[in-house]
């Protein structure tokens, strides 16, 4: 009996040692496609879920509570042929904040260049050195993007190995017929996403991602004023990147994820700090100016 118990513990330990990285929710929406095989889309959703959650993406060991929380929403707008589809993919990464029950949105990105082939019951296979399958290339690209952004929030430029893997996928996809991989196709696609992240000229962006989350949000539960002050300082790094190149894709991504949160954080701040932050925000993200006005309209502390 003791031997059986030891064997069970060993097996459970082996499972824990190889625990995968993601707690990824996957939704495949197909309402716009009429007359199609509905079961096929359910199978597609299950296959993508398994691809994201059951594949080992890193060499690191994760407990269940440490798994990275993300969501993938694929909207299929058109069935081009029996096994080819076009639509969009939206990827959201959230991260728990230390000492609280709050989860912050780190990444919320929508990619409209989603085109894939899918054959029901055919395994999803990803090859790091080829571009044979656009579906798994896109999924793997965003898996590494999510890993990179998550790691960047815990250590300075900690996500570099994963961003480099995402860059390799882009490089291997330069001959792909599908859109989203090439520089000339758009200023906001997968090519420019990874180019912006790894470009040393914009390294202050990644500096902000670390200080905003690890030295700012993670401190606020115990030292709210100190954490908020650090977040205010981190926005100066975003301002620095903006002044280098205002139209960067990563800047839009940052405010898509953070604008509402920033309003909530600084609505509880001191008047001088609120005014300084709003001045930065109005410069670097003028499209959300009406939203940021709520900060200065909040009551003085």
């Amino acid at each position: 009996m003791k031997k059986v118990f030891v064997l069970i513990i060993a097996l459970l330990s082996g499972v824990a040692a190889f625990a995968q990285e993601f707690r990824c929710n996957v939704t495949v929406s197909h309402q716009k496609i009429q007359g199609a095989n509905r079961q096929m889309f359910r199978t597609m959703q299950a296959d993508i879920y398994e691809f994201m959650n059951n594949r080992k993406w890193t060499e690191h060991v994760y407990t269940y509570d440490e798994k990275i929380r993300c969501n993938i929403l694929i909207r299929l707008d058109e069935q081009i042929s029996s096994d080819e589809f076009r639509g969009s993919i939206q990827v959201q990464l959230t991260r728990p904040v230390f000492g609280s029950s709050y989860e912050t949105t780190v990444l919320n990105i929508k990619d409209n260049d989603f085109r894939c082939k899918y054959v029901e019951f055919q395994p999803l296979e990803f090859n790091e050195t080829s571009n044979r399958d656009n579906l798994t290339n896109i999924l793997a690209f965003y898996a590494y993007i999510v890993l990179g952004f998550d790691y960047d929030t815990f250590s300075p430029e900690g996500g570099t190995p994963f961003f480099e893997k995402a860059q390799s996928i882009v490089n291997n996809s330069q001959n792909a017929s599908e859109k989203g991989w090439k520089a000339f196709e758009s200023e906001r696609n997968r090519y420019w996403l990874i180019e912006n992240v790894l470009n040393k000229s914009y390294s202050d962006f990644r500096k902000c991602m670390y200080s905003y989350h690890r030295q700012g949000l993670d401190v606020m539960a115990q030292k709210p004023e100190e954490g908020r002050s650090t977040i205010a300082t981190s926005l100066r790094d975003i301002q620095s990147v903006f002044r280098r190149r205002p139209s960067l894709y990563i800047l839009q991504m940052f405010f898509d994820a953070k604008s509402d949160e920033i309003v909530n954080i600084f609505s509880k701040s001191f008047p001088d700090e609120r005014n300084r932050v709003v001045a930065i925000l109005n410069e670097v993200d003028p499209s959300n100016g009406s939203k940021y006005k709520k900060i200065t309209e909040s009551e003085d502390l």
Side-chain angles (χ1 to χ4, degrees):
M1 185 69 182
K2 182 178 179 181
K3 288 183 178 179
V4 173
F5 178 76
V6 171
L7 178 60
I8 292 172
I9 294 298
L11 289 172
L12 290 175
S13 298
V15 171
F18 293 100
Q20 285 78 7
E21 296 81 1
F22 292 125
R23 288 165 61 183
C24 181
N25 297 314
V26 176
T27 303
V28 175
S29 173
H30 52 83
Q31 281 77 9
K32 291 187 177 181
I33 300 178
Q34 302 298 320
N37 177 3
R38 293 326 196 207
Q39 179 58 45
M40 176 183 64
F41 297 118
R42 287 190 285 270
T43 306
M44 178 191 292
Q45 179 172 297
D47 285 347
I48 293 172
Y49 177 91
E50 182 176 352
F51 181 84
M52 294 297 299
N53 289 294
N54 294 341
R55 182 182 178 90
K56 195 79 176 80
W57 296 96
T58 77
E59 297 300 320
H60 303 157
V61 176
Y62 284 73
T63 66
Y64 179 80
D65 289 337
E66 291 172 335
K67 286 190 175 189
I68 297 169
R69 302 163 195 180
C70 58
N71 299 292
I72 291 178
L73 170 61
I74 295 173
R75 294 187 185 275
L76 300 177
D77 298 327
E78 180 183 2
Q79 184 168 3
I80 301 169
S81 65
S82 61
D83 63 355
E84 190 169 8
F85 305 89
R86 179 160 44 213
S88 64
I89 179 170
Q90 186 168 357
V91 180
Q92 183 184 66
L93 163 66
T94 60
R95 171 196 186 282
V97 172
F98 181 76
S100 75
S101 60
Y102 177 65
E103 289 193 3
T104 179
T105 299
V106 178
L107 181 70
N108 187 10
I109 181 171
K110 185 179 180 183
D111 180 342
N112 290 317
D113 292 322
F114 183 83
R115 182 166 176 168
C116 73
K117 289 186 177 181
Y118 174 78
V119 178
E120 193 173 12
F121 307 122
Q122 181 174 303
L124 298 185
E125 296 180 355
F126 170 62
N127 188 323
E128 291 190 2
T129 62
S130 76
N131 65 347
R132 290 185 304 171
D133 180 35
N134 203 52
L135 174 57
T136 55
N137 281 353
I138 292 174
L139 294 174
F141 173 83
Y142 282 115
Y144 287 126
I145 289 294
V146 165
L147 283 164
F149 272 87
D150 185 72
Y151 274 68
D152 263 14
T153 68
F154 286 101
S155 63
E157 298 195 0
T160 296
F162 309 111
F163 288 136
E164 289 175 344
K165 284 184 175 291
Q167 186 178 50
S168 293
I169 296 172
V170 170
N171 292 340
N172 291 333
S173 299
Q174 289 307 292
N175 293 325
S177 59
E178 297 90 352
K179 292 178 63 178
W181 302 110
K182 304 177 187 68
F184 64 85
E185 293 172 337
S186 169
E187 292 184 351
R188 286 171 166 76
N189 63 10
R190 286 163 235 135
Y191 177 94
W192 288 113
L193 167 53
I194 197 59
E195 191 281 338
N196 287 180
V197 169
L198 289 176
N199 192 321
K200 293 298 183 183
S201 297
Y202 315 132
S203 60
D204 280 345
F205 172 82
R206 296 179 67 187
K207 179 183 175 184
C208 169
M209 293 301 291
Y210 172 70
S211 59
Y212 182 108
H213 294 91
R214 192 72 187 99
Q215 299 175 314
L217 285 179
D218 283 347
V219 171
M220 288 192 70
Q222 295 182 335
K223 302 176 181 179
E225 293 177 11
E226 181 179 321
R228 192 168 55 230
S229 176
T230 300
I231 292 173
T233 301
S234 75
L235 293 177
R236 293 190 181 276
D237 293 321
I238 293 294
Q239 185 182 43
S240 174
V241 175
F242 175 84
R243 288 177 176 178
R244 283 181 174 271
R245 190 175 172 190
S247 60
L248 281 179
Y249 189 17
I250 52 174
L251 294 178
Q252 175 195 319
M253 287 170 39
F254 178 83
F255 290 110
D256 284 347
K258 293 297 184 185
S259 58
D260 290 332
E261 181 176 82
I262 290 170
V263 171
N264 290 333
I265 290 170
F266 290 101
S267 294
K268 303 169 186 176
S269 181
F270 298 105
D272 287 348
E273 188 175 58
R274 290 204 304 262
N275 291 334
R276 289 196 303 272
V277 166
V278 169
I280 294 173
L281 295 172
N282 284 336
E283 177 185 349
V284 300
D285 188 29
S287 63
N288 280 318
S290 60
K291 183 183 294 186
Y292 300 135
K293 190 176 180 181
K294 298 175 185 177
I295 297 175
T296 54
E297 290 175 346
S298 60
E299 294 183 5
D300 292 348
L301 298 178

